[in-house]
Amino acid sequence: MSFTPPPALTTRPTLTGTFGMSASTHWLATASAQAVLERGGNAFDAAVAAAFVLHVVEPHLNGPGGDLVALFATADDPTPVVLAGQGPAPAGATREHYLAEGLELVPGAGALAAAVPGAVDGWLLLLKDHGTWELADVLAFAIGYAEDGHPVLERVCATIRAVAELFTEHWPSSAAHWMPEGRVPEPGELIRNPAYARVLRGLIAAGEGAATREERVEAARTEWATGLVAREAAAFAAVPHRHSPGTDHAGVIAEADFAAFRATYEPATTLEFRGHTIAKTGAWGQGPALLETLAILDGFDDARLDPSSELGAHTILEAQKLAYADRDAYFGDDRVPVAELLAPEYIAGRRALIGERASAEFRPGRVPGVEPFLPPLRVEYTPRTSTAIAGIGEPTVSRTGETRGDTCHLDVVDRWGNIVSATPSGGWLQSSPTIPALGFCLGTRLQMTWLEEGSASTLRPGRRPRTTLTPTLVLRDGVPVTALGSPGGDQQDQWQLLYLLRTIVGGYTPQQAIDAPALHTTSLAESFWPRTWVPGGAVVEARLGDEVIAGLEARGHVVTRAGGWTLGRLSSVGRDPGTGLLSAAANPRGMQGYAAGR
């Protein structure tokens, strides 16, 4: 049995060139990044400019109050590095406090779910250390769209419409900001965010007296952590407001929490797979679950790695269930036995569990000396109050494949060989009430923590929530060749896995891999409120084909057909170190993502 050949036609070409390539989940961010490259900036200047544009044009998918994870390598040093812009739980975020508030889960919306915002500081750190542009020039794109307006996306309007009643009845500051005339904006209508533009201008002004570019950016970091943003956010969050369970609570985040946080760099976690090195975050993210999945699959022949065949799809889904059970049992911002989870003998034992039938069990492995955490596995969840905010906690893809919100992604590579893959998220407009003086709201990443004891992901002050943000770098012979990623919560690495299998094993081009039918398992403990699971669940694009889908169902998979073009929002850029040829590709689903380059 051979690997399913790619389609003869793709929705767009894989771009190739030698100057620079950008790809993201919104064409305005991609164009902004490319404009920076055209004016002599490097990949890091371009990525930061695009990221701040995403705050403005995709506010339902990310915001300044959210977080950021990136992987990058420089032209001078090909070693993959993780940029950790994931803030921790505030000092007052104790499980005892949340339990005393009558909560069983950390809410999916409201300030009690807010980790310390990390995205802005992460981007500023990257710009300071690896960029070349002045902060004012980098932020000019975002300031322009915030002050002068940009055409609002249909998905932004749909998101506002879905939470309009919440805004008008419980979050009046959000209603004033997003429905200024008492109505939901129309798709394509110009909308503005002058409050956020003032925040950005304040960051620039903070460094006006500094002597060097680096000092000016560092002054902006200090202003973010100790100035207007920290004061306004902490004061606003302290006022009780509606949370996702349908009850009112005050947040616990304080000015001191902002002041105590700075983004950091960390070494990547890597795995060798079919002549390539796959680089991911540590186990405070879900990245090592992708590495474990690849390690399990590496023991099968090529035919069993084909996502478009019944046997391949079955094998992939079963491998993912095993890897994600280990994620839910072991991962978090703590000592995690990653080396043991990726050890050949352990992987062989996991691989042996894959049979001909779909498993509906939660099956984490056993690592000597470490007790696995068994999360509460609920097929549904009803809060103690009957007035819960429906759907507000889930910022990704519903079980039917419908996108209810999501995340952003961007990739940039320049002609010198600098390359970055970044996944910013959190602080969605539906996360918590808009802070009037800032033009944005706090994020809700703490919903990924447990209030049960015994997990590396149990809520604890100062500990980072285990994030789903998981960009990827791929290296060959020690040199980066691909940067890729996708929004999608628990599905991010599942969809990236398909890309890696189709390009590395199947020989697909990047655009062919992105366009090909996608699938993922829901047989895992969801990372987002209300944290349910679907035993044996699988969501597939209908384009996978009736025969393959029927075969999966016959094997016991609980299959949901998600339409033809609904799963995955991948983008990628690449560089051939031998020739210097650059490439880029982007997702057509949702009609937002674009790649550009020359």
Side-chain angles (χ1 to χ4, degrees):
M1 183 188 299
S2 61
F3 213 92
T4 300
L9 296 176
T10 55
T11 58
R12 55 191 74 176
T14 294
L15 305 183
T16 55
T18 57
F19 177 79
M21 292 283 167
S22 308
S24 83
T25 48
H26 195 296
W27 62 86
L28 292 179
T30 298
S32 299
Q34 199 62 26
V36 172
L37 295 179
E38 294 288 349
R39 289 163 54 189
N42 67 16
F44 305 111
D45 300 316
V48 177
F52 280 93
V53 169
L54 288 174
H55 288 167
V56 179
V57 302
E58 289 194 325
H60 60 316
L61 308 182
N62 82 138
D67 26 54
L68 154 73
V69 180
L71 273 134
F72 69 90
T74 68
D76 296 328
D77 185 353
T79 305
V81 177
V82 176
L83 172 61
Q86 175 57 66
T94 64
R95 58 182 296 273
E96 292 77 14
H97 176 78
Y98 288 61
L99 293 171
E101 291 281 304
L103 299 168
E104 301 167 291
L105 293 168
V106 176
L112 273 179
V116 180
V120 168
D121 189 67
W123 287 122
L124 295 179
L125 175 64
L126 187 69
L127 179 67
K128 184 190 77 165
D129 291 344
H130 297 288
T132 63
W133 272 29
E134 289 288 347
L135 179 61
D137 296 326
V138 168
L139 296 183
F141 299 88
I143 291 173
Y145 287 126
E147 289 182 339
D148 302 330
H150 71 280
V152 64
L153 293 168
E154 186 278 331
R155 290 305 310 165
V156 175
C157 300
T159 301
I160 297 171
R161 187 176 300 109
V163 291
E165 184 177 346
L166 168 68
F167 284 7
T168 56
E169 293 189 7
H170 299 289
W171 293 359
S173 61
S174 294
H177 185 83
W178 296 108
M179 304 163 61
E181 299 174 359
R183 63 174 180 85
V184 176
E186 294 295 326
E189 181 179 339
L190 286 178
I191 65 170
R192 297 171 175 81
N193 192 341
Y196 185 44
R198 287 192 293 271
V199 169
L200 296 181
R201 290 194 181 278
L203 298 182
I204 296 167
E208 286 179 349
T212 67
R213 187 192 71 88
E214 290 76 11
E215 290 173 349
R216 286 187 281 278
V217 178
E218 188 62 30
R221 297 180 71 197
T222 300
E223 168 61 26
W224 173 267
T226 63
L228 173 72
V229 170
R231 292 194 303 272
E232 292 289 340
F236 189 82
V239 178
H241 54 276
R242 185 56 48 93
H243 282 57
S244 53
T247 48
D248 292 350
H249 308 273
V252 295
I253 195 166
E255 288 185 58
D257 296 311
F258 283 81
F261 173 75
R262 291 295 187 278
T264 57
Y265 302 121
E266 298 182 5
T269 304
T270 61
L271 178 85
E272 300 303 312
F273 176 77
R274 304 291 175 94
H276 295 73
T277 302
I278 314 301
K280 302 294 291 183
T281 68
W284 55 270
Q286 65 175 335
L290 172 61
L291 303 183
E292 183 177 343
T293 309
L294 284 169
I296 293 170
L297 294 174
D298 203 15
F300 294 109
D301 59 31
D302 290 359
R304 295 197 68 167
L305 307 190
D306 180 1
S308 296
S309 70
E310 175 195 327
L311 180 60
H314 166 74
T315 304
I316 289 164
L317 289 168
E318 293 305 293
Q320 288 176 328
K321 293 176 193 176
L322 295 169
Y324 280 85
D326 283 346
R327 180 198 72 168
D328 295 331
Y330 294 108
F331 286 19
D333 190 16
D334 206 339
R335 295 181 180 178
V336 178
V338 174
E340 290 84 349
L341 293 171
L342 297 178
E345 288 186 6
Y346 179 85
I347 292 295
R350 303 298 275 159
R351 187 182 301 120
L353 294 176
I354 299 177
E356 296 302 311
R357 298 280 302 170
S359 170
E361 299 177 37
F362 181 79
R363 298 186 291 177
R366 303 291 302 203
V367 175
V370 184
E371 188 66 25
F373 172 72
L374 301 179
L377 297 173
R378 309 176 179 96
V379 294
E380 60 182 2
Y381 175 69
T382 303
R384 293 169 181 170
T385 173
S386 60
T387 57
I389 303 169
I392 195 67
E394 174 64 71
T396 178
V397 180
S398 73
R399 294 175 184 175
T400 62
E402 177 189 2
T403 300
R404 293 191 245 177
D406 214 330
T407 291
C408 302
H409 186 76
L410 64 93
D411 305 291
V412 185
V413 62
D414 64 31
R415 61 190 184 275
W416 302 288
N418 299 301
I419 190 168
V420 58
S421 175
T423 309
S425 188
W428 314 286
L429 67 85
Q430 64 273 29
S431 295
S432 61
T434 298
I435 304 164
L438 306 181
F440 60 84
C441 61
L442 293 171
T444 53
R445 189 64 61 183
L446 291 188
Q447 67 183 289
M448 297 184 177
T449 64
W450 294 106
L451 295 182
E452 287 79 9
E453 294 187 277
S455 169
S457 294
T458 296
L459 178 66
R460 190 174 72 193
R463 174 189 270 175
R464 290 175 294 189
R466 190 201 75 209
T467 183
T468 52
L469 306 180
T470 180
T472 302
L473 279 188
V474 180
L475 297 85
R476 191 170 61 240
D477 298 326
V479 181
V481 293
T482 305
L484 75 144
S486 173
D490 292 316
Q491 289 78 49
Q492 289 183 24
D493 273 333
Q494 297 193 59
W495 295 334
Q496 291 180 69
L497 172 71
L498 308 179
Y499 178 101
L500 294 171
L501 294 176
R502 283 172 166 141
T503 55
I504 294 174
V505 182
Y508 286 35
T509 66
Q511 194 64 50
Q512 288 171 339
I514 289 172
D515 282 2
L519 69 155
H520 63 263
T521 181
T522 50
S523 191
L524 46 74
E526 289 183 337
S527 295
F528 298 97
W529 188 90
R531 310 209 71 175
T532 54
W533 83 313
V534 183
V539 181
V540 305
E541 287 186 323
R543 292 182 297 124
L544 196 61
D546 291 340
E547 183 177 346
V548 172
I549 295 172
L552 292 175
E553 291 174 330
R555 290 175 180 267
H557 294 277
V558 182
V559 177
T560 298
R561 298 185 186 224
W565 294 85
T566 54
L567 305 182
R569 290 177 63 208
L570 285 154
S571 67
S572 70
V573 297
R575 182 176 185 270
D576 183 335
T579 64
L581 189 68
L582 308 178
S583 64
N587 167 60
R589 299 164 180 85
M591 299 186 294
Q592 280 179 222
Y594 265 89
R598 68 174 180 87

